[in-house]
DNA sequence: CCGCATTTCATTTGTCATACATTATGACAA
DNA sequence: TTGTCATAATGTATGACAAATGAAATGCGG
């Protein structure tokens, strides 16, 4: 058990958090599920990779005394992390960190933890790759599957963008618009992607909006809405492709080259 | 409390191991010793919708005596479900079911529970909608981002399909092939989709394979592999589109019309 | 007497501490 | 090598208390 002389925190953002200290602190790190929006972030060193993949973290009892909480709390935290696929615990061998491929990358919490540690540009780029794949298809499905209420929600998003005064309102309406499209597919497999979209964008909503070209964005959003309302799947797809392309342009313009380059060229075979 | 005279089951905290499968009823995970053989193994009535959205389920103590287990177990189950976004509990008002849009549809367990209750054809159709949206893009990304090891994995899947004797082996190799493509994108947002893909297909792997046209499938899989290995994104995308189209044809032929019709036409507005 | 704010109360979740059961790992012996 | 057992870790049970909160009861002013 070289494990880690009290250094292996379940949620230990160690030095990153200002203030903190005090006597009550680490519980909130351990119990990620209690992380309310307003709560302080620092947690889950697993996502950070501070605890190697496949390696076991200290036994429950040890964790208990490390952060001075009861085993109940520790177990609940473990249960939560297990549910998100981060760890896996078996009776005698302890609790192990599962390989990153297996954990639920779209889970809201996992997403947030990642956002705290990762390069934001890389992350936005990857997110955009997924959006580019999914959202046109979602719009097309929405065109053929949406009900009246779905369309009303989409329109509400559009209108909200129109009448928004503050930047924040604008982004909020924007998010609602896109979410409504995902829901309008009537396909629950698309919904988690909408969730992810919301979280990621809400975390970094200062990035995109200020630099974007609002009138054009509005026009394009409404084009998508119209196509969906008309039930024209192809038009909806194309309008979405256009919207995403311009949105990507905006991001590149604001964030610079780093955004547009693929995250990991890795190999240049051939 | 009309709620549910002993009908309200909490889905147990099965581990998220995708490979675990087996037919161990989850109820035994909640109440291992008390699970009477005679009792129906019905689980998670939440997913079934037996407990209305937004409504509260009975207090913990009541659940305890309902299924004759300790509160610890109930609480762990609740924690698990909370982590998956199915429910939300606050101190005095009880534990409420969250709207389906908010729960983690891609979570392995949620997925399994759904599969047990839903019409399998509908579900496969929806799954296919997502695949059609994502997989071509994933293949294209794989073509530009894959490393040598990624390609080796994809090739291994291909070869496995080639040499497979039993139907089961064939399907397993097939799954591995597609998963490898998702991983090869080097974009973690794509990974959960691969997970979902595995689980769903493993549950219903008897459906697709027997009726599919193996030689053609093999040829098309290898075409995707070649395109990715060559780094040709467009070719990879097109090859995948073709593969999926034929795969859908097979499904329609086997499962009948029900598969190809959209799950919920809902409205035929203008 | 009625309406509204405040207080109190009771219910439910959250946490703690301890004990026991189960299970897999690793060592030891045949 | 193989079978058995000790051991250490998680899984479960139980009972008690703390905290939070919604709702009823109460007090005050109109």
């Amino acid at each position: 058990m070289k494990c880690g002389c009290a250094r292996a925190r379940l949620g230990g953002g160690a030095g990153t958090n200002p203030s903190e200290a005090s006597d009550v602190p680490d519980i909130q790190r351990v119990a990620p599920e209690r992380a309310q929006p307003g709560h302080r972030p620092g947690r889950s060193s697993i996502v950070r990779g501070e605890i190697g993949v496949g390696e076991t973290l200290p036994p429950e009892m040890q964790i208990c005394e490390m952060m001075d909480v009861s085993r109940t709390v520790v177990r609940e935290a473990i249960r939560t992390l297990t549910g998100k696929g981060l760890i896996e615990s078996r009776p005698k061998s302890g609790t192990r960190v599962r390989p990153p491929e297996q954990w639920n990358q779209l889970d809201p919490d996992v997403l947030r933890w990642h956002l705290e540690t990762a390069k934001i540009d890389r992350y936005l780029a990857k997110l955009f790759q997924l959006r580019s794949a999914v959202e046109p298809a979602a719009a097309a499905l929405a065109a053929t599957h949406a009900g009246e209420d779905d369309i009303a929600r989409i329109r509400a998003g559009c209108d909200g963008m129109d009448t928004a005064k503050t930047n924040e309102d604008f982004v909020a309406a924007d998010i609602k618009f896109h979410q409504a499209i995902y829901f309008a597919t009537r396909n629950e497999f698309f919904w988690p992607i909408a969730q992810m979209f919301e979280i990621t964008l809400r975390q970094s909503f200062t990035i995109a909006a200020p630099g974007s070209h609002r009138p054009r964005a509005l026009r394009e959003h409404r084009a998508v809405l119209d196509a969906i309302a008309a039930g024209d799947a192809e038009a909806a797809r194309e309008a979405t492709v256009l919207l995403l392309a311009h949105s990507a342009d905006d991001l590149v313009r604001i964030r610079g080259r780093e955004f547009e380059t693929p995250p990991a060229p890795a190999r240049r075979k051939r």
Side-chain angles (χ1 to χ4, degrees), chain A:
Chain A
M1 276 298 170
K2 55 89 192 128
C3 69
C5 20
R7 190 69 276 143
R9 282 265 155 65
L10 242 195
T16 47
N17 281 355
S19 63
E20 194 70 19
S22 192
D23 15 307
V24 215
D26 299 31
I27 306 170
Q28 287 161 7
R29 262 80 169 266
V30 188
E33 69 279 10
R34 286 202 340 198
Q36 308 305 346
H39 243 142
R40 251 195 327 281
R43 54 183 120 299
S44 200
S45 54
I46 293 174
V47 176
R48 285 193 138 95
E50 291 178 9
I51 301 184
V53 167
E55 224 20 72
T56 80
L57 37 83
E60 293 180 351
M61 280 310 297
Q62 208 166 326
I63 298 177
C64 290
E65 53 197 36
M66 265 182 192
M67 18 192 113
D68 205 28
V69 293
S70 83
R71 201 175 146 218
T72 308
V73 178
V74 172
R75 281 195 59 73
E76 302 234 334
I78 287 181
R79 184 56 97 183
T80 300
L81 295 184
T82 303
K84 299 183 186 317
L86 295 194
I87 58 181
E88 171 187 42
S89 56
R90 281 160 44 190
K92 146 91 183 192
S93 66
T95 304
R96 272 201 276 274
V97 178
R98 302 177 71 192
E101 304 89 52
Q102 298 197 16
W103 67 60
N104 248 4
Q105 301 283 356
L106 289 188
D107 180 281
D109 292 320
V110 176
L111 216 45
R112 265 199 303 272
W113 300 333
H114 251 124
L115 280 175
E116 293 165 5
T117 67
K119 292 268 198 315
I120 189 71
D121 295 308
R122 288 278 167 82
Y123 233 62
L124 279 179
K126 288 180 181 176
L127 166 67
F128 216 86
Q129 288 178 338
L130 182 60
R131 276 188 73 191
S132 302
V134 174
E135 210 157 315
L141 283 173
T144 55
H145 291 71
E148 298 294 350
D149 47 344
D150 292 317
I151 291 179
R153 263 196 298 272
I154 298 174
R155 176 167 286 119
C158 242
D159 295 342
M161 292 173 68
D162 221 343
T163 64
K165 290 297 181 194
T166 74
N167 205 352
E168 193 165 349
D169 287 348
F170 184 80
V171 173
D174 194 359
I175 291 178
K176 259 174 57 179
F177 173 85
H178 292 282
Q179 274 192 318
I181 289 179
Y182 282 100
F183 290 151
T185 61
R186 302 277 173 127
N187 182 335
E188 53 271 45
F189 292 136
F190 281 79
W191 298 347
I193 297 170
Q195 273 186 11
M196 170 206 62
F197 178 43
E198 174 185 8
I199 292 167
T200 311
L201 238 56
R202 215 179 275 287
Q203 283 264 337
S204 56
F205 72 92
T206 50
I207 292 181
S212 67
H213 193 242
R214 266 207 206 175
R216 193 196 62 197
L218 252 168
R219 209 166 48 238
E220 290 176 350
H221 276 73
R222 209 162 278 280
V224 174
L225 163 64
D226 291 339
I228 292 177
D232 188 341
E234 269 321 302
R237 169 179 280 118
E238 286 164 17
T240 304
V241 168
L242 198 69
L243 193 159
L244 286 175
H246 286 161
S247 181
D249 287 346
D250 288 340
L251 278 172
V252 170
R253 207 172 53 246
I254 304 163
R255 305 298 295 180
R257 177 121 320 157
E258 178 144 10
F259 178 80
E260 70 180 323
T261 58
R267 141 205 94 119
R268 193 65 269 152
K269 179 191 169 168
R270 159 111 348 250

